[in-house]
């Protein structure tokens, strides 16, 4: 069927077209089916229906299809029904608990990357793999397929270092210290990071306060070779692109299949050519990994997968029930990290965790002897070498290398949450803290976030400030304060937990 083109200037992240229900009935396709769109080029697209947005005799092309076919307003294309892609048939095998071959997994990942699978099909795959975990072989093939379907960075010299955090802990800004410490000791660490999805600030959101973070793979390689390290956004590099597409499906489902977690981490490390990797696994209440036992199992699986991929992996089980440092939100966290680089002044939790992780990498990279890595990392902070390296990183990424912690401003609208009674702070709800920071505007509003005055175990007096909420916009501050007052993220020893009324009062 030949139809006139009506461009729809909307990005949907997939090849999709819109047909009038009259034409769809004539073609014999249902919503969610696929059609072949042919002109001088051709592609397969998923069908949406409409009764009024697109007139009969026309086909609406979303941005991605227009870009591929390069069509204009008055031109026509041929539309015909298309069969379900073979990659969708692979998903059925996962749902039926059938083992996949290497070829089938590569077929599936290619289907994810080339946008030939619908969101419904991807959701089915995520759910099925959450219920029916993949074998070690399948997980290895999935990881390799994710690496091979994107860009790769290959260095001529080794070792290449990298680190990753499982996440879930507010204020985990340690990459801003670890990367310059490692690079200052002569090792290469091309750190590509994500933006926050559910958190108050990913490493890329933080680094963006200081310098641009969007670079392609060749630029990341070039900068790393020149100065030893970068702090870049992985989404701009086209490294392991299948991972970003799967994360988009995971988020609304609130699931994180074990095999996907392993493949996601290791594909990104493999794509940047890393051969020495430290993975931070925060454990405890409010984290993704509830206890040390779960953390050890995950560590074994990551180490095993790393060995299969030719990477030496070590894992650090870290305390995750309380924020790292005393800040949550991009500008606040950057200011705190820079202060440590400048003068070693800062929270013990931030300094200890950063130097411990950096120390592991220094030992693995052969520049520190076993058991002395943390001491070397601390000295690299104390003697200013890490600060100088951070300035080099900021400069090569296009930022102002003369920036200091005093130059970083938090949001001007503030509100202090105070202690309702004397006592000790005995509980800190990480998830609520992140929710409050996000309501205040983080991570998009760089100045939004939460400054923590009192942490778990510290004494407080009635009406003493425990948290200060920062926002760039007054209405966002009001939303964050209202949420914090309705459901406090803290608990003070001696506070009344609950009053249960008598029947007479009900």
């Amino acid at each position: 069927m030949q139809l006139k083109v009506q461009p729809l200037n909307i990005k949907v992240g997939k090849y999709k077209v819109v047909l009038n229900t009259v034409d769809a009935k004539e073609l014999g396709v249902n919503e969610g089916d696929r059609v072949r769109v042919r002109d001088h080029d051709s592609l397969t697209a998923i069908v949406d229906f409409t009764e009024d947005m697109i007139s009969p005799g026309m086909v609406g092309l979303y941005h991605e299809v227009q870009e591929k076919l390069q069509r204009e307003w008055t031109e026509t294309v041929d539309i015909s029904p298309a069969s379900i892609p073979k990659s969708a048939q692979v998903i059925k095998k996962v749902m039926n608990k059938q083992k996949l071959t290497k070829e089938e997994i590569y077929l599936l990942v290619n289907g994810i990357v080339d946008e030939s699978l619908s969101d419904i099909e991807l959701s089915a795959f995520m759910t099925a793999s959450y219920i029916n975990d993949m074998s070690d072989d399948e997980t290895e093939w999935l990881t390799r397929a994710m690496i091979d379907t994107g860009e790769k960075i290959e260095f001529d010299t080794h070792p290449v270092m990298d680190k990753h955090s499982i996440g879930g802990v507010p204020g985990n800004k340690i990459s801003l210290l670890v990367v310059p410490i490692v690079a200052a000791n002569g090792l290469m660490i091309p750190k590509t990071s994500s933006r926050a999805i559910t958190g108050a600030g990913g490493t890329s959101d933080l680094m963006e306060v200081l310098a641009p973070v969007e670079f392609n793979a060749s630029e990341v390689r070039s900068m790393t070779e020149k100065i030893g390290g970068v702090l870049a956004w992985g989404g701009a590099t086209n490294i392991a692109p299948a991972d970003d597409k799967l994360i988009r499906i995971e988020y609304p489902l609130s699931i994180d299949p074990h095999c996907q977690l392993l493949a996601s981490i290791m594909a990104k490390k493999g794509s940047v050519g890393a051969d020495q990797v430290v993975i931070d696994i925060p454990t405890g209440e409010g984290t993704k990994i509830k206890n040390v036992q779960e953390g050890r199992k995950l560590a074994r699986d990551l180490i095993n997968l790393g060995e299969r991929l030719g990477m030496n992996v070590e894992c650090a089980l870290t305390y995750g029930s309380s924020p790292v440092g005393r800040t949550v939100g991009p500008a606040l966290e950057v200011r705190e990290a820079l202060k440590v680089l400048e003068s070693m002044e800062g929270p013990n939790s931030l300094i200890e965790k950063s130097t411990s992780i950096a120390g592991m990498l220094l030992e693995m990279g052969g520049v520190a002897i076993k058991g002395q890595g943390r001491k070397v990392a601390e000295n690299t902070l104390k003697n200013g070498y890490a600060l100088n390296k951070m300035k080099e990183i900021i400069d090569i990424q296009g930022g102002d290398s003369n920036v200091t912690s005093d130059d970083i401003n938090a949001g001007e609208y503030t509100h202090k949450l105070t202690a309702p009674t004397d006592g000790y702070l005995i509980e800190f709800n990480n998830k609520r803290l992140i929710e409050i920071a996000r309501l205040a505007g983080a991570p998009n509003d760089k100045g939004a976030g939460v400054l923590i005055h009192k942490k778990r175990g510290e004494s407080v007096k009635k009406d003493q400030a425990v948290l200060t909420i920062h926002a760039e916009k007054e209405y966002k501050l009001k939303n964050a304060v209202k949420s914090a007052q309705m459901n406090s993220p803290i608990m003070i020893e001696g506070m009344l937990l609950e009053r249960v009324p008598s029947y007479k009062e009900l």
Side-chain angles (χ1 to χ4, degrees):
M1 176 183 290
Q2 195 170 67
L3 300 174
K4 288 185 177 180
V5 170
Q6 180 172 328
L8 303 173
N9 295 315
I10 303 170
K11 292 183 179 181
V12 292
K14 290 190 175 298
Y15 292 140
K16 296 187 79 171
V17 301
V18 183
L19 294 175
N20 187 280
T21 51
V22 173
D23 294 323
K25 185 176 181 180
E26 179 69 21
L27 281 167
V29 296
N30 295 310
E31 196 162 12
D33 282 349
R34 291 168 174 80
V35 292
R36 194 72 180 163
V37 185
R38 289 189 177 89
D39 190 60
H40 68 280
D41 199 354
S42 65
L43 57 81
T44 300
I46 300 165
V47 177
D48 277 341
F49 281 5
T50 183
E51 292 186 357
D52 49 19
M53 187 171 77
I54 302 295
S55 302
M58 300 194 75
V59 57
L61 306 184
Y62 285 107
H63 174 80
E64 290 79 2
V65 178
Q66 293 177 57
E67 195 171 52
K68 176 71 173 176
L69 298 181
Q70 300 178 341
R71 295 295 80 200
E72 302 296 338
W73 279 94
T74 57
E75 308 228 5
T76 60
V77 291
D78 287 319
I79 304 290
S80 60
S83 59
I84 296 174
K86 291 181 179 179
S87 52
Q89 297 168 16
V90 175
I91 294 173
K92 287 188 178 180
K93 289 191 68 174
V94 181
M95 296 170 68
N96 291 328
K97 301 182 182 181
Q98 295 175 282
K99 297 301 180 185
L100 304 182
T101 66
K102 182 178 180 180
E103 291 71 24
E104 287 172 328
I105 286 180
Y106 268 78
L107 185 67
L108 174 61
V109 174
N110 275 299
I112 295 169
V113 173
D114 68 17
E115 308 287 2
S116 61
L117 291 167
S118 68
D119 285 351
I120 292 174
E121 288 161 340
L122 288 177
S123 298
F125 170 60
M126 296 302 297
T127 305
S129 56
Y130 178 75
I131 297 169
N132 310 316
D133 197 16
M134 288 184 170
S135 67
D136 287 352
D137 285 341
E138 290 172 310
T139 304
E140 178 190 342
W141 297 332
L142 177 63
T143 310
R144 290 188 181 279
M146 290 170 70
I147 294 170
D148 291 343
T149 49
E151 289 191 58
K152 289 183 276 189
I153 302 175
E154 296 178 353
F155 293 94
D156 295 329
T157 59
H158 291 270
V160 177
M161 319 304 291
D162 208 347
K163 69 160 286 287
H164 180 83
S165 178
I166 301 300
V169 182
N172 197 21
K173 59 196 74 68
I174 68 169
S175 289
L176 297 181
L177 301 181
V178 172
V179 171
I181 290 172
V182 172
N185 281 280
L187 296 171
M188 291 196 301
I189 179 164
K191 184 73 182 82
T192 59
S193 306
S194 62
R195 297 187 186 277
I197 299 173
T198 59
T203 299
S204 292
D205 298 308
L206 272 57
M207 187 60 191
E208 204 166 40
V209 174
L210 300 170
V213 295
E214 297 188 18
F215 304 98
N216 61 39
S218 64
E219 289 171 327
V220 169
R221 174 183 171 174
S222 175
M223 290 188 294
T224 303
E225 288 177 333
K226 285 180 181 177
I227 63 166
V230 296
L231 286 152
W233 175 47
T237 61
N238 197 37
I239 285 173
D243 183 50
D244 291 333
K245 299 177 191 300
L246 290 174
I247 288 173
R248 181 174 59 83
I249 299 298
E250 282 179 9
Y251 175 54
L253 292 174
S254 297
I255 61 174
D256 197 359
H258 183 67
C259 58
Q260 300 286 347
L261 173 63
L262 297 176
S264 172
I265 295 168
M266 300 308 291
K268 289 175 180 175
K269 306 301 110 180
S271 294
V272 298
D275 39 37
Q276 302 287 337
V277 179
V278 171
I279 298 175
D280 167 30
I281 305 177
T283 64
E285 189 65 32
T287 67
K288 296 178 182 179
I289 310 300
K290 301 302 180 188
N291 53 57
V292 171
Q293 289 73 27
E294 285 186 25
R296 286 174 182 154
K297 181 185 182 306
L298 177 58
R300 286 193 297 270
D301 291 342
L302 286 164
I303 291 167
N304 174 57
L305 180 55
E307 188 174 347
R308 284 169 165 262
L309 297 168
M311 282 183 264
N312 182 36
V313 176
E314 290 191 16
C315 297
L317 301 184
T318 58
Y319 177 73
S321 296
S322 185
V324 178
R326 294 181 179 269
T327 55
V328 179
L332 288 165
E333 293 189 49
V334 167
R335 187 166 67 187
E336 187 173 59
L338 282 180
K339 191 69 174 177
V340 172
L341 286 166
E342 291 164 357
S343 61
M344 279 289 283
E345 294 178 27
N348 288 335
S349 59
L350 173 58
I351 296 172
E352 180 182 341
K353 184 170 184 178
S354 299
T355 54
S356 296
I357 299 294
M360 291 173 67
L361 285 164
L362 295 179
E363 291 177 20
M364 294 168 71
V367 298
I369 62 174
K370 195 72 173 177
Q372 294 297 308
R374 182 179 170 188
K375 185 176 181 180
V376 174
E378 287 175 348
N379 288 336
T380 308
L381 280 176
K382 289 176 182 176
N383 60 29
Y385 291 165
L387 174 61
N388 290 337
K389 183 56 67 174
M390 187 60 170
K391 288 178 178 291
E392 289 182 39
I393 294 171
I394 293 170
D395 183 63
I396 203 168
Q397 291 188 202
D400 179 6
S401 60
N402 294 316
V403 67
T404 69
S405 57
D406 292 335
D407 298 324
I408 308 299
N409 297 315
E412 62 177 309
Y413 297 100
T414 64
H415 180 88
K416 291 183 178 179
L417 293 181
T418 58
T421 184
D422 293 350
Y424 290 87
L425 201 155
I426 61 172
E427 185 175 319
F428 225 123
N429 189 316
N430 282 346
K431 289 184 178 179
R432 288 291 300 127
L433 194 63
I434 292 171
E435 287 171 4
I436 291 165
R438 287 181 67 88
L439 284 169
N444 292 332
D445 296 346
K446 301 301 185 187
V450 177
L451 177 62
I452 303 164
H453 302 290
K454 294 291 182 178
K455 296 188 74 173
R456 182 175 293 190
E458 295 181 343
S459 63
V460 294
K461 297 293 185 182
K462 184 179 179 181
D463 297 328
Q464 186 176 16
V466 178
L467 304 174
T468 297
I469 303 172
H470 286 263
E472 293 182 357
K473 300 177 178 67
E474 191 171 11
Y475 81 92
K476 290 186 179 182
L477 177 67
K478 289 180 180 178
N479 290 339
V481 171
K482 182 178 179 181
S483 175
Q485 291 173 339
M486 289 179 64
N487 184 6
S488 177
I490 61 169
M491 183 170 289
I492 309 297
E493 182 183 30
M495 289 172 60
L496 177 69
L497 295 181
E498 183 178 358
R499 178 179 177 180
V500 181
S502 66
Y503 289 119
K504 291 181 180 178
E505 294 176 303
L506 293 175

